[in-house]
């Protein structure tokens, strides 16, 4: 998996993701008789972006992308592999850091 074989995305809008998926399913005649129900995974099966807690992360094989697939919808951001992996490995700040931030806000 790399930038040459896959495209990486951050989705912040479920409606746009479902629109992208529905249009892709139609273009691919899915569901089909081979047991393939949909082109992209359901929203709830995407990776949760731990940095935002609401956005989803997903990658798509370039070989499976059609020219008609619309990745320019609202809330769909293409990212590179490095960013994708960093976001999957993101760790929240430790409690001491959060307490220090609270103290600084009180001083302001």
């Amino acid at each position: 998996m790399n930038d040459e074989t896959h495209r990486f995305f951050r989705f912040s809008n479920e409606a746009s993701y479902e629109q992208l998926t529905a249009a892709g399913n139609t273009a691919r005649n899915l569901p089909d008789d081979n047991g393939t129900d949909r082109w992209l995974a359901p929203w709830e099966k995407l990776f949760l972006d731990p940095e935002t807690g609401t956005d989803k992360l997903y990658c798509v094989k370039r070989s499976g992308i059609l020219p008609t697939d619309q990745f320019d919808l609202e809330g769909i951001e293409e990212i590179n592999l490095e960013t994708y992996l960093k976001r999957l490995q993101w760790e929240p700040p430790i409690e001491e850091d959060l307490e220090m931030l609270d103290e600084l806000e009180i001083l302001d």
Side-chain angles (χ1 to χ4, degrees), residues 37-54:
D37 292 330
R38 44 186 299 135
W39 171 52
L40 297 174
W43 178 258
E44 59 276 357
K45 298 226 179 193
L46 302 182
F47 295 109
L48 181 64
D49 182 346
E51 190 171 322
T52 65
T54 56

Side-chain angles (χ1 to χ4, degrees), residues 37-107:
D37 292 330
R38 44 186 299 135
W39 171 52
L40 297 174
W43 178 258
E44 59 276 357
K45 298 226 179 193
L46 302 182
F47 295 109
L48 181 64
D49 182 346
E51 190 171 322
T52 65
T54 56
D55 295 350
K56 302 287 186 149
L57 301 170
Y58 196 61
C59 66
V60 181
K61 282 186 178 179
R62 288 184 182 271
S63 62
I65 296 174
L66 301 176
T68 56
D69 293 330
Q70 295 181 318
F71 290 100
D72 59 350
L73 300 171
E74 179 183 339
I76 299 176
E77 176 188 357
E78 186 163 6
I79 57 179
N80 62 27
L81 175 60
E82 182 180 349
T83 301
Y84 179 80
L85 293 175
K86 280 181 184 175
R87 291 191 90 125
L88 286 177
Q89 295 176 2
W90 182 82
E91 295 180 21
I94 58 174
E95 190 65 31
E96 293 168 350
D97 290 343
L98 292 175
E99 289 174 5
M100 187 182 343
L101 285 175
D102 287 341
E103 290 174 11
L104 289 174
E105 288 177 9
I106 293 171
L107 294 175

